[in-house]
């Protein structure tokens, strides 16, 4: 597993070996959610060429949860907050026809992030 470039996973808080173990456990229960998000975030060509697509999706989910803390006022604004928010919304809303579809994808992202953190915490 490579977490190079995965800035939400590549922090001192997480151990690469444990990330892999937790991701395998999480993927078993959330395979359809990972697939749905991967189809939105990556085109078919990129998905086939990217061996670490699950890590990419997880990194994105952690990013969404972190951004939500800013949106809800739990964290303070940073210089990149507006750009980050627009990027996340554009990535998820691409080819969607209504806000319910966008909200569904945001909820999936937050659920995966929260479950990852909880499993990781329990494995300590």
């Amino acid at each position: 597993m490579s977490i190079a470039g995965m800035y939400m996973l590549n922090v001192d808080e997480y151990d690469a070996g444990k990330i892999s173990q937790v991701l395998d456990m999480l993927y078993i229960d959330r395979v359809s959610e990972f697939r749905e998000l991967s189809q939105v975030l990556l085109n078919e060509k990129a998905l086939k060429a990217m061996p670490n697509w699950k890590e990419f999706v997880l990194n994105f989910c952690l990013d969404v949860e972190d951004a939500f803390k800013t949106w809800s006022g739990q964290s303070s604004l940073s210089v990149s907050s507006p750009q980050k928010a627009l990027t996340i919304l554009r990535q998820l809303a691409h080819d969607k026809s209504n806000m319910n579809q966008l909200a569904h994808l945001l909820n999936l992202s937050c659920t995966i992030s929260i479950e990852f953190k909880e499993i990781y915490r329990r494995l300590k």
Side-chain angles (χ1 to χ4, degrees):
M1 177 184 93
S2 173
I3 58 172
M6 309 288 175
Y7 62 94
M8 294 300 290
L9 289 171
N10 202 1
V11 293
D12 293 337
E13 179 181 349
Y14 298 123
D15 173 60
K18 198 181 272 189
I19 290 171
S20 179
Q21 182 183 7
V22 172
L23 185 56
D24 290 343
M25 293 170 69
L26 182 60
Y27 185 71
I28 290 169
D29 290 335
R30 297 290 181 185
V31 64
S32 60
E33 289 87 345
F34 271 90
R35 284 196 183 129
E36 186 173 350
L37 285 169
S38 70
Q39 290 171 350
V40 170
L41 299 172
L42 302 164
N43 62 36
E44 286 298 318
K45 187 177 180 181
L47 191 57
K48 289 178 183 176
M50 184 179 243
N52 60 342
W53 68 269
K54 289 186 265 186
E55 290 86 352
F56 179 83
V57 170
L58 176 59
N59 190 73
F60 180 84
C61 292
L62 291 167
D63 208 10
V64 169
E65 186 193 7
D66 185 60
F68 179 74
K69 289 177 183 174
T70 303
W71 302 342
S72 63
Q74 298 172 34
S75 297
S76 59
L77 287 171
S78 70
V79 175
S80 63
S81 293
Q83 184 66 32
K84 183 177 182 179
L86 287 174
T87 301
I88 287 171
L89 293 175
R90 280 189 58 94
Q91 285 177 309
L92 292 179
H94 184 71
D95 290 335
K96 301 298 175 271
S97 59
N98 61 57
M99 289 293 290
N100 289 334
Q101 293 172 334
L102 174 61
H104 170 70
L105 294 172
L106 288 168
N107 285 332
L108 284 181
S109 299
C110 282
T111 299
I112 288 174
S113 177
I114 291 167
E115 287 185 14
F116 169 79
K117 288 179 179 179
E118 183 61 26
I119 295 169
Y120 191 91
R121 184 187 64 78
R122 288 182 182 186
L123 285 180
K124 281 189 175 178

